[in-house]
Structures are given as C-alpha cells and as structure tokens.
Amino acid sequence: MTFFVVGPDDRGFFKKQRTTWEFEDALNQASDGDNILIKRDYQFPLEDQNYVINKSLNISGEDNTFILGGFIIKNGAQVKLNNLTLRHYQDKNNCLQVTNNSQLIATHVSVVNDATTGQNYPIIYVDDGATAQFDDLYVEKDKLGDGAHRIYVEKGNVEIKNSTLNCKITTTEANLTLQNTTLSYGESNVLSLYSNTVATLQNVTVTGGVKEKDYPCIFSSESILNITSSIIKEPNYSGALYLQKAAQAKVENSIIDSLYLYNQSKIDVGNTSRIVESIIIEDHSALTGETLLLDGRDNGKINIFAKGESNIKLDWIGLAFESSPNIKIEDNVTFNVPEVYVLKFDSTNDEYDLDENNQYTIVKDNLQNDIEYFTTQKKESNSKQANKAEKDQKDLQKGPQKSGMQQLDEMIGLETVKQQVKEFIAVTVLNKKREEKGLNTSSQTLHSLFLGNPGTGKTTVARIVGHVLYEKGVIAEDKLIETSRADLVAGYVGQTAEKTRKVLESALGGILFVDEAYTLASGGQNDFGKEAIDEILKFMEDHRSNIMIIFAGYTNDMEKFLETNPGLRSRIPNKFDFEDYTVDEMVQIGLFSLKKQQYHVNPSSYADLLNNNLSKDNDNSNGRWVRNLNDKIIKKQAVRVALTDSYSEEDLINITDADLDAVRL
C-alpha cells in the first residue's frame, strides 16, 4: 500500500527531489488499496472537470479540501472519500457519479454546483448496482432553481446519515436509507420514489414541495416507505405525503402535515403518529394502525375524507378540534374505528395535554355520530332516464363499437408497427393485472417514440393505443392531445416553460402526442425549444405514472433530437418504426377513402393513375400524398358535373376515367 501526498511542489535549495504529487498524476499512478492525501494549500487546475476513478482508493483532504470538479467512480471500484468539497461551476455535471457495481464510502463531504445558467444534472448520481454510503454529507442549494437539483438513484443503494441536503432525491428500483438528516427543497417534490424503491427514513426532517404546482413533499409510487421519528412539512396542502399506485408506507412516532392515499395505496400509522392538517383516501386505498392523532389545522380540507371503496381501520382517532364535519366518507368506505374523540390540545405549546397518568384528556367522545356519509351515485330524473334509454336504443341500432385492437388490425399495412404495439400493450396490461393481484411488476415507462415519414398513420395509431390503454385501465382518460413546437415554444425568456407546462397538464391522465418533436432542438444553442425539452423531461419524471408522451417525427431527425439531451433516450424506452406504405397499400388506402366518402371509381383505373403519378412525384408523404391525390380527383369530378348542370345521384357519386386522366402527370 502506497501513500501519495498531493500538494504544492516542495522542491527547494536544500531539497532537489519533489516528494509531493499533482492530483491527476497521483490518481493515475496509484493502485488498488493506495491512499491519497490532498494538502490544504494544494491548488487544483482551474479547469472544471470530472476525474475518473476505476480502482479502489482512499482519498482524503486536510480541513475539507476544495476540489474543482467531480469524481466518476466505475468498474467495481471501492472508494473512500474524507474531508472533501467537490464543486462545479458549469451546468450539466455530476459532482459524484457511482456506477457499474462500484462502492463509495464518503465522510465529511460537501457537493456544490455553482452554475448560474443552464440546466441541473443530478449532483449525485448512483446507478447500475452501485452502493454509496454518506456520513455528514452537505449538499448546497443550487443557483439555477430549475426544479432538477437532485440526488438520483436508479437500481442502486444509497445510505445517508447525519447530513444536510438542500436538494431533492429521486429513486427508481432503488434502496434508500436516510438517518438523522434534514432534507429541504422548494422547487419540486423533495423525495420522489418510483418503481419498487424501498426507502427508510429515521429521525429525518423533510421540508418543501410546491403546493401551487401540486408537487407533494414526498411522492411515492409502486414503492415501500418506512418512516420513524421523522417530520414531513408542507403546510396548507392536501398531501405532504402522497402515496399512489399501490405504494405502501409504515409510519411510527412521526409528524406529517397531510396525507393523501390514492390508487390502492396503503399506510400503517402505528400508534404514536400525528397528522397536522388532513387525510384524503381514495380509490381502494387503506389507512390502518392502532391510534392516530389528527390536529385538523385548516387547509381548506375536511379532516378525514374517504371515498372509492377504501378502508380505514384504527383503534381510535383523537382530534384536536371539533368541526362540522370532522370526517366525511362515501358510503362504500369501510370505516372500522370504534372510538373517535376530541382531545385537549395546548395550542400555545402545539401539543396534546396529558394527565398525571400520562394519558390524553378526552374533551368529547362518540364522534362517530357526527360523521357525514355521502354517495356519488346520483339518481336520474325520469326525463334523463328517458333520454338515456333513447340514446342507448340509437347506439344499439348502430351496432357495437369496435375495440381499439380491432381498429388496429383493420388498418392497412403497418405490419411491423402492429406487432410492436401488440407486444407493448401485452406487457403493459400484464403489469397492470399483476399489480392488481399484489404481485411484483417490472418497471415500465409508457413514453414512446413514433419514427417514420409523414402520412404513415402515427397519429391514428397513437389514438388507438390510447383507446386500448383506457379500455384496459392503464390510463385514466381516453384522450389524446396533439401538440407541436408552435404550441410549446414562446418568443420570450421564461414564457416557454409555462406554456409547455400548461399543455402537459392538459394531457394528464391520457396521451400527449408531440408531432415533429425534433423541431424543439433545431434552433441552435439559444433557442427556446431547449427550455421546452427541459420542462417536458421534468414533467415526465414527476408524472410518469399519469401521462404517456409520444414523440413523433422523421427517423433520422429524431435520432439527432435524442442526442441533444442525455436524459431523453433513457426516459423514452419504447420505439415504434412506421415503415412507408407499399404502392399496393397506398392504392388500398385511396380506394377505401373514396368509398368512405361514397364515391364510385374503377379500381384498376385508379391503381394505374396512382402508380403513374407516384413514379413521377413521390414526396414520401405516404397517406398524405394519397389524400392530396384524392382531393385533386374530387375537384376535377366536381368541375365536370358543374359544367353539365346535372346533379343526379349517379353524377354526384361516380368518378369517371376522364376525371382520373385529368390529374394524370
């Protein structure tokens, strides 16, 4: 084991041989198990850079030594860091990146990103089976305020204790432990847990979220969260702790401003936990435990509101204040709470009074009689019932509506896309069914790329995919919002993010179809399209379970689009390749379109015309080219009929060979 001392050149009149090292030289020379000590007076190069560490080293500094740049730890390296500050001045940089099954143990380490323009990348990034342990970690507040200053963990393990974190933490399929730590962030969610993450918080204070944008302080989806002796603070909001999509939580001896359970989520509040403001429970979710203290501070919500066949099971609930009502539940909710009390509460000291036996003082009991029950199933008036019956009869006469899969199968051509869509839907629905039965599911993101030339049915297929996902219960609404650069990008600094966000929010619960998405990245370095991309990426991360975004465009241009931002490709894993239609398929499309419009035409004459014109004027716009051809034919037919002044049914529907020849090239 060799000991390298990094410091200023110590050669002098009486010392001809240098005994100190430049940092990069020491890093290159060191072998597994070696130690590197950085002297307090050593000056790092002025270049803002990342140092790659692919061997097992111990790196320490004197008095929290300042390093300009960051570390990339990879290839299974086992690294220890001590008494260091890692600082970047440029955006789009990690101060620490731990990957490829590497291990990091860091003690008394600070990380800082002082960039004032651009975009935040995760200040600490852990993935691909890596493990990182931090004791006394300090993450300084960022200067960009873009909502993306974060520690990001994907398929990795992170343990943080005795630390102060002025950033958010986002995890996917990860293990996270926080102990004796404060976590504060006011630009987005503070803690976001996705896709089978297991997180443990012990003696942790979490403060932040953005109530104006409906960003909860802690957001958990398909994950498990254990909270002990901790505080979660987001005042005047409905869900400081927000659980959705079968998320589970266990809480002990903790104070949470508010709680929101949705979509089959479950929480066990133990016997010593306290909710400051309100609890909302929806969509087959469950609140269980022994006892619950609920202050009921005013945030505009009922103290406890439950609906959607949810379940509440506790020994008793203690309220600090009585209101009318404190509890409002739908009549299909299971409410199994034998006792509901109003307890004596000391507002000055913000605590419940205890008697000489250390027991709560009951001011009023039997509040079950004051619970307000309601039903969402409204009775229809006789006239409405009659109208509904008439509508049902008309629908019956029309015949059954075709399912999304039937519509897909009936589309002309697109055999590759049809197979890709069927595989995508099969996996998505399988995960949904496994989730409903409480089984583990593979992590899946709906966001997709639709690649191909214009007129190949991308929008139509997107709409069909939306129908199917809605039919299968994967997305909440059967809606597709079509948008393009003009709808997202504004003309002035700061306006694009707001404009983009409004479009994104309009598509929540359904599908957002971004046509010619590559144009967002085609305007150069200072173009506002980049701002739209950044906002989309952030929204995708914060709402990944509540929206599907489809990016559509030419194959080559979309590849360049993905290269403009390293976060795009990883967040859009599903790719659908829309091949050009064959000539025969274009003939079928054209004939089918004319038939739908109740025109009659000689099929062989039409096929001959299409072949001829396509060979002389093919702009690769596929179905769009066919529609334009049909429009030209219909105009020629209209002129011919108008000149004869004869408007019999036969004249109105027949397209003659002469009409076809009139548009022949």
Side-chain angles (χ1 to χ4, degrees), residues 643-660:
L643 290 174
T644 63
D645 198 26
S646 173
Y647 294 98
S648 66
E649 182 175 342
E650 184 178 350
D651 290 324
L652 293 174
I653 67 174
N654 283 335
I655 293 174
T656 67
D657 286 357
D659 296 329
L660 300 179

Side-chain angles (χ1 to χ4, degrees), residues 267-325:
I267 190 168
D268 184 338
V269 294
N271 64 1
T272 52
S273 293
R274 176 177 162 191
I275 307 298
V276 176
E277 295 181 11
S278 62
I279 299 172
I280 298 175
I281 309 168
E282 297 182 352
D283 190 18
H284 302 85
S285 297
L287 167 68
T288 61
E290 297 177 36
T291 64
L292 175 68
L293 297 175
L294 177 55
D295 298 3
R297 306 290 177 79
D298 186 14
N299 66 357
K301 306 293 182 184
I302 298 289
N303 297 159
I304 298 178
F305 177 85
K307 69 175 187 176
E309 300 182 37
S310 296
N311 178 49
I312 301 174
K313 187 177 188 302
L314 299 159
D315 291 344
W316 58 261
I317 296 173
L319 303 167
F321 307 100
E322 183 181 5
S323 61
S324 182

Side-chain angles (χ1 to χ4, degrees), residues 511-569:
I511 295 178
L512 179 68
F513 184 86
V514 185
D515 198 15
E516 297 182 331
Y518 55 87
T519 59
L520 294 174
S522 62
Q525 184 65 28
N526 298 319
D527 184 71
F528 296 133
K530 180 178 177 296
E531 189 179 346
I533 295 173
D534 295 343
E535 186 64 28
I536 291 171
L537 279 173
K538 179 178 177 297
F539 201 89
M540 289 168 68
E541 181 175 312
D542 293 338
H543 301 275
R544 67 175 64 187
S545 62
N546 200 25
I547 190 173
M548 176 182 182
I549 302 180
I550 297 174
F551 299 86
Y554 298 97
T555 302
N556 292 337
D557 289 329
M558 290 299 291
E559 284 297 325
K560 294 175 184 176
F561 166 69
L562 294 175
E563 292 169 2
T564 62
N565 190 309
L568 281 169
R569 195 179 297 274

Side-chain angles (χ1 to χ4, degrees), residues 86 117 148 191 212 289 362 405 479 514 557 640 656:
L86 306 176
T117 60
L191 183 59
E212 294 81 8
I362 298 175
M405 294 305 292
K479 69 176 177 182
V514 185
D557 289 329
R640 175 181 58 78
T656 67

